[in-house]
Amino acid sequence: MKSFKSFGIALLVILVALGGRAAADGAVFVNKGNTSGNEDGTSWATAFTTIRAGLDAAIAGGQTEVWVAGARYDELRPNSGKLILQSGISLFGGFAGTETARDQRDPAAHNTIIDGTTSNDGGTQTTQVVKGASNLTFDGFTVTGGHGDRGAGMMNDGPSDNIQGLVVSNCVFTGNLANEHGGGMYNAAPCEVVISHCTFTVNQATRGGGGMWNDSCSPVVTDCEFDTNLQKLLTSRSVKLRRNKKCWEGSSQIAKLFANPFCESLTMHDVK
């Protein structure tokens, strides 16, 4: 546990040191508001209008970042409506669509929403809005509209993807419903996940972990807020949650199975 905690803190320090200096050169641009009819992703003026198109271009061109301007991205997507991230390609939201450096963006002012409500075939709801991958940063998005068994907002599936070096920051997970576990997020081992400055609010899971469920995965969770996440079957007095009250202050917020997340500076609100 100590080694992963150290990994997570060290990774956060590196990201803070480097995060603001990234320039537009080499990024792929996405802006739903681009009406020019020209979409090649090489500038804001010719930005792709869907995030999937931006990711596909980054994969083909060897770019490591996709910059996304504020809008609601609810278009139809392949893979049953999921936005499947690609190892080594980071996504950053919160841009106005004019910036030349990443630290010029403002996610609070330019809400960048990935909505799964109608992203599946036939305009139906996706089971998982975002599916994580390794060695990337996912930063500055609101994730909403997922409804599936597990990880309705974001699924970090270690057994199938061996998630390593994933950083999720400055994101909001809201309005996601899991029939089983992990309304906002589900983390399954083997995985290394660092989660910072995120809000989990008004997510729901039937069996536990309305905000987040960790299955043998011990993420580093720092400076996050958990508010009004709901579960139907477990109570806030679950034995699973009493083992570490700093991390589990109500089963609707963060729950776990054979996991010991490192949590610091969390804000937990009343369980409903």
mmCIF file of all heavy atoms in Angstrom, residues 142-166:
data_model
loop_
_atom_site.group_PDB
_atom_site.id
_atom_site.type_symbol
_atom_site.label_atom_id
_atom_site.label_comp_id
_atom_site.label_asym_id
_atom_site.label_seq_id
_atom_site.Cartn_x
_atom_site.Cartn_y
_atom_site.Cartn_z
ATOM 1 N N THR A 142 -17.269 16.611 -17.078
ATOM 2 C CA THR A 142 -18.430 16.132 -16.336
ATOM 3 C C THR A 142 -18.919 14.872 -17.025
ATOM 4 O O THR A 142 -19.142 14.871 -18.243
ATOM 5 C CB THR A 142 -19.547 17.181 -16.310
ATOM 6 O OG1 THR A 142 -19.112 18.310 -15.542
ATOM 7 C CG2 THR A 142 -20.807 16.617 -15.669
ATOM 8 N N VAL A 143 -19.058 13.793 -16.253
ATOM 9 C CA VAL A 143 -19.448 12.495 -16.794
ATOM 10 C C VAL A 143 -20.838 12.157 -16.256
ATOM 11 O O VAL A 143 -21.036 12.070 -15.038
ATOM 12 C CB VAL A 143 -18.436 11.403 -16.401
ATOM 13 C CG1 VAL A 143 -18.888 10.043 -16.916
ATOM 14 C CG2 VAL A 143 -17.049 11.749 -16.945
ATOM 15 N N THR A 144 -21.790 11.955 -17.147
ATOM 16 C CA THR A 144 -23.172 11.771 -16.714
ATOM 17 C C THR A 144 -23.937 10.880 -17.681
ATOM 18 O O THR A 144 -23.520 10.660 -18.827
ATOM 19 C CB THR A 144 -23.880 13.143 -16.596
ATOM 20 O OG1 THR A 144 -25.148 12.975 -15.962
ATOM 21 C CG2 THR A 144 -24.074 13.796 -17.956
ATOM 22 N N GLY A 145 -25.056 10.327 -17.203
ATOM 23 C CA GLY A 145 -25.990 9.650 -18.090
ATOM 24 C C GLY A 145 -25.739 8.179 -18.314
ATOM 25 O O GLY A 145 -26.340 7.593 -19.216
ATOM 26 N N GLY A 146 -24.884 7.531 -17.485
ATOM 27 C CA GLY A 146 -24.659 6.107 -17.637
ATOM 28 C C GLY A 146 -25.641 5.286 -16.813
ATOM 29 O O GLY A 146 -26.043 5.690 -15.726
ATOM 30 N N HIS A 147 -26.026 4.118 -17.331
ATOM 31 C CA HIS A 147 -26.917 3.212 -16.596
ATOM 32 C C HIS A 147 -26.575 1.782 -16.992
ATOM 33 O O HIS A 147 -26.923 1.315 -18.075
ATOM 34 C CB HIS A 147 -28.376 3.514 -16.908
ATOM 35 C CG HIS A 147 -29.335 2.663 -16.119
ATOM 36 N ND1 HIS A 147 -30.703 2.693 -16.327
ATOM 37 C CD2 HIS A 147 -29.136 1.754 -15.131
ATOM 38 C CE1 HIS A 147 -31.292 1.845 -15.500
ATOM 39 N NE2 HIS A 147 -30.355 1.243 -14.761
ATOM 40 N N GLY A 148 -25.859 1.078 -16.095
ATOM 41 C CA GLY A 148 -25.470 -0.304 -16.352
ATOM 42 C C GLY A 148 -25.236 -1.035 -15.053
ATOM 43 O O GLY A 148 -25.548 -0.528 -13.970
ATOM 44 N N ASP A 149 -24.667 -2.213 -15.130
ATOM 45 C CA ASP A 149 -24.474 -3.006 -13.921
ATOM 46 C C ASP A 149 -23.380 -2.438 -13.020
ATOM 47 O O ASP A 149 -23.556 -2.330 -11.809
ATOM 48 C CB ASP A 149 -24.141 -4.454 -14.291
ATOM 49 C CG ASP A 149 -25.338 -5.194 -14.859
ATOM 50 O OD1 ASP A 149 -26.475 -4.748 -14.605
ATOM 51 O OD2 ASP A 149 -25.142 -6.192 -15.555
ATOM 52 N N ARG A 150 -22.242 -2.073 -13.595
ATOM 53 C CA ARG A 150 -21.099 -1.606 -12.805
ATOM 54 C C ARG A 150 -20.402 -0.459 -13.526
ATOM 55 O O ARG A 150 -20.292 -0.458 -14.743
ATOM 56 C CB ARG A 150 -20.092 -2.740 -12.593
ATOM 57 C CG ARG A 150 -20.643 -3.954 -11.871
ATOM 58 C CD ARG A 150 -19.606 -5.053 -11.792
ATOM 59 N NE ARG A 150 -20.119 -6.234 -11.099
ATOM 60 C CZ ARG A 150 -19.425 -7.350 -10.913
ATOM 61 N NH1 ARG A 150 -18.180 -7.422 -11.371
ATOM 62 N NH2 ARG A 150 -19.955 -8.368 -10.275
ATOM 63 N N GLY A 151 -19.926 0.510 -12.728
ATOM 64 C CA GLY A 151 -19.162 1.602 -13.323
ATOM 65 C C GLY A 151 -19.935 2.374 -14.356
ATOM 66 O O GLY A 151 -19.446 2.621 -15.468
ATOM 67 N N ALA A 152 -21.128 2.823 -14.007
ATOM 68 C CA ALA A 152 -21.982 3.500 -14.990
ATOM 69 C C ALA A 152 -21.363 4.801 -15.478
ATOM 70 O O ALA A 152 -21.487 5.157 -16.647
ATOM 71 C CB ALA A 152 -23.361 3.760 -14.388
ATOM 72 N N GLY A 153 -20.684 5.536 -14.580
ATOM 73 C CA GLY A 153 -20.015 6.759 -14.998
ATOM 74 C C GLY A 153 -18.684 6.461 -15.651
ATOM 75 O O GLY A 153 -18.452 6.800 -16.814
ATOM 76 N N MET A 154 -17.782 5.802 -14.902
ATOM 77 C CA MET A 154 -16.458 5.435 -15.432
ATOM 78 C C MET A 154 -16.086 4.056 -14.925
ATOM 79 O O MET A 154 -16.147 3.789 -13.727
ATOM 80 C CB MET A 154 -15.402 6.453 -15.022
ATOM 81 C CG MET A 154 -14.041 6.202 -15.646
ATOM 82 S SD MET A 154 -12.890 7.579 -15.319
ATOM 83 C CE MET A 154 -11.543 7.135 -16.436
ATOM 84 N N MET A 155 -15.684 3.200 -15.837
ATOM 85 C CA MET A 155 -15.261 1.848 -15.513
ATOM 86 C C MET A 155 -13.766 1.711 -15.754
ATOM 87 O O MET A 155 -13.293 1.897 -16.884
ATOM 88 C CB MET A 155 -16.018 0.836 -16.384
ATOM 89 C CG MET A 155 -15.631 -0.608 -16.123
ATOM 90 S SD MET A 155 -16.056 -1.119 -14.436
ATOM 91 C CE MET A 155 -15.875 -2.885 -14.556
ATOM 92 N N ASN A 156 -13.020 1.405 -14.693
ATOM 93 C CA ASN A 156 -11.590 1.142 -14.810
ATOM 94 C C ASN A 156 -11.391 -0.346 -14.548
ATOM 95 O O ASN A 156 -11.293 -0.790 -13.402
ATOM 96 C CB ASN A 156 -10.812 2.018 -13.832
ATOM 97 C CG ASN A 156 -11.011 3.492 -14.125
ATOM 98 O OD1 ASN A 156 -11.001 3.901 -15.280
ATOM 99 N ND2 ASN A 156 -11.224 4.294 -13.092
ATOM 100 N N ASP A 157 -11.362 -1.098 -15.622
ATOM 101 C CA ASP A 157 -11.501 -2.550 -15.575
ATOM 102 C C ASP A 157 -10.126 -3.212 -15.624
ATOM 103 O O ASP A 157 -9.632 -3.561 -16.695
ATOM 104 C CB ASP A 157 -12.367 -3.000 -16.750
ATOM 105 C CG ASP A 157 -12.785 -4.456 -16.648
ATOM 106 O OD1 ASP A 157 -12.373 -5.118 -15.686
ATOM 107 O OD2 ASP A 157 -13.522 -4.922 -17.537
ATOM 108 N N GLY A 158 -9.524 -3.393 -14.450
ATOM 109 C CA GLY A 158 -8.208 -4.010 -14.383
ATOM 110 C C GLY A 158 -8.141 -5.401 -14.961
ATOM 111 O O GLY A 158 -7.194 -5.724 -15.692
ATOM 112 N N PRO A 159 -9.101 -6.300 -14.667
ATOM 113 C CA PRO A 159 -9.003 -7.655 -15.197
ATOM 114 C C PRO A 159 -8.892 -7.732 -16.715
ATOM 115 O O PRO A 159 -8.196 -8.586 -17.250
ATOM 116 C CB PRO A 159 -10.303 -8.302 -14.707
ATOM 117 C CG PRO A 159 -10.615 -7.594 -13.445
ATOM 118 C CD PRO A 159 -10.203 -6.159 -13.695
ATOM 119 N N SER A 160 -9.555 -6.844 -17.422
ATOM 120 C CA SER A 160 -9.490 -6.888 -18.890
ATOM 121 C C SER A 160 -8.448 -5.939 -19.455
ATOM 122 O O SER A 160 -7.888 -6.193 -20.525
ATOM 123 C CB SER A 160 -10.858 -6.568 -19.498
ATOM 124 O OG SER A 160 -11.228 -5.235 -19.225
ATOM 125 N N ASP A 161 -8.145 -4.840 -18.738
ATOM 126 C CA ASP A 161 -7.281 -3.803 -19.303
ATOM 127 C C ASP A 161 -5.995 -3.560 -18.523
ATOM 128 O O ASP A 161 -5.144 -2.793 -18.972
ATOM 129 C CB ASP A 161 -8.055 -2.480 -19.402
ATOM 130 C CG ASP A 161 -9.288 -2.603 -20.287
ATOM 131 O OD1 ASP A 161 -9.192 -3.293 -21.311
ATOM 132 O OD2 ASP A 161 -10.327 -2.028 -19.942
ATOM 133 N N ASN A 162 -5.835 -4.162 -17.332
ATOM 134 C CA ASN A 162 -4.634 -3.972 -16.508
ATOM 135 C C ASN A 162 -4.291 -2.483 -16.391
ATOM 136 O O ASN A 162 -3.245 -2.020 -16.844
ATOM 137 C CB ASN A 162 -3.454 -4.752 -17.085
ATOM 138 C CG ASN A 162 -2.254 -4.771 -16.139
ATOM 139 O OD1 ASN A 162 -2.405 -4.615 -14.926
ATOM 140 N ND2 ASN A 162 -1.067 -4.962 -16.697
ATOM 141 N N ILE A 163 -5.172 -1.729 -15.772
ATOM 142 C CA ILE A 163 -5.055 -0.273 -15.707
ATOM 143 C C ILE A 163 -3.856 0.132 -14.841
ATOM 144 O O ILE A 163 -3.776 -0.204 -13.661
ATOM 145 C CB ILE A 163 -6.332 0.351 -15.119
ATOM 146 C CG1 ILE A 163 -7.566 -0.056 -15.943
ATOM 147 C CG2 ILE A 163 -6.196 1.867 -15.039
ATOM 148 C CD1 ILE A 163 -7.613 0.501 -17.323
ATOM 149 N N GLN A 164 -2.924 0.884 -15.415
ATOM 150 C CA GLN A 164 -1.751 1.378 -14.709
ATOM 151 C C GLN A 164 -1.543 2.852 -15.069
ATOM 152 O O GLN A 164 -1.693 3.246 -16.224
ATOM 153 C CB GLN A 164 -0.486 0.587 -15.106
ATOM 154 C CG GLN A 164 -0.607 -0.920 -14.940
ATOM 155 C CD GLN A 164 -0.710 -1.340 -13.493
ATOM 156 O OE1 GLN A 164 -0.002 -0.827 -12.628
ATOM 157 N NE2 GLN A 164 -1.589 -2.292 -13.211
ATOM 158 N N GLY A 165 -1.186 3.674 -14.079
ATOM 159 C CA GLY A 165 -0.831 5.060 -14.366
ATOM 160 C C GLY A 165 -1.975 5.909 -14.880
ATOM 161 O O GLY A 165 -1.756 6.814 -15.705
ATOM 162 N N LEU A 166 -3.194 5.655 -14.396
ATOM 163 C CA LEU A 166 -4.350 6.462 -14.800
ATOM 164 C C LEU A 166 -4.581 7.562 -13.775
ATOM 165 O O LEU A 166 -4.676 7.291 -12.572
ATOM 166 C CB LEU A 166 -5.593 5.581 -14.908
ATOM 167 C CG LEU A 166 -6.937 6.298 -15.108
ATOM 168 C CD1 LEU A 166 -6.958 7.077 -16.417
ATOM 169 C CD2 LEU A 166 -8.091 5.300 -15.072
#
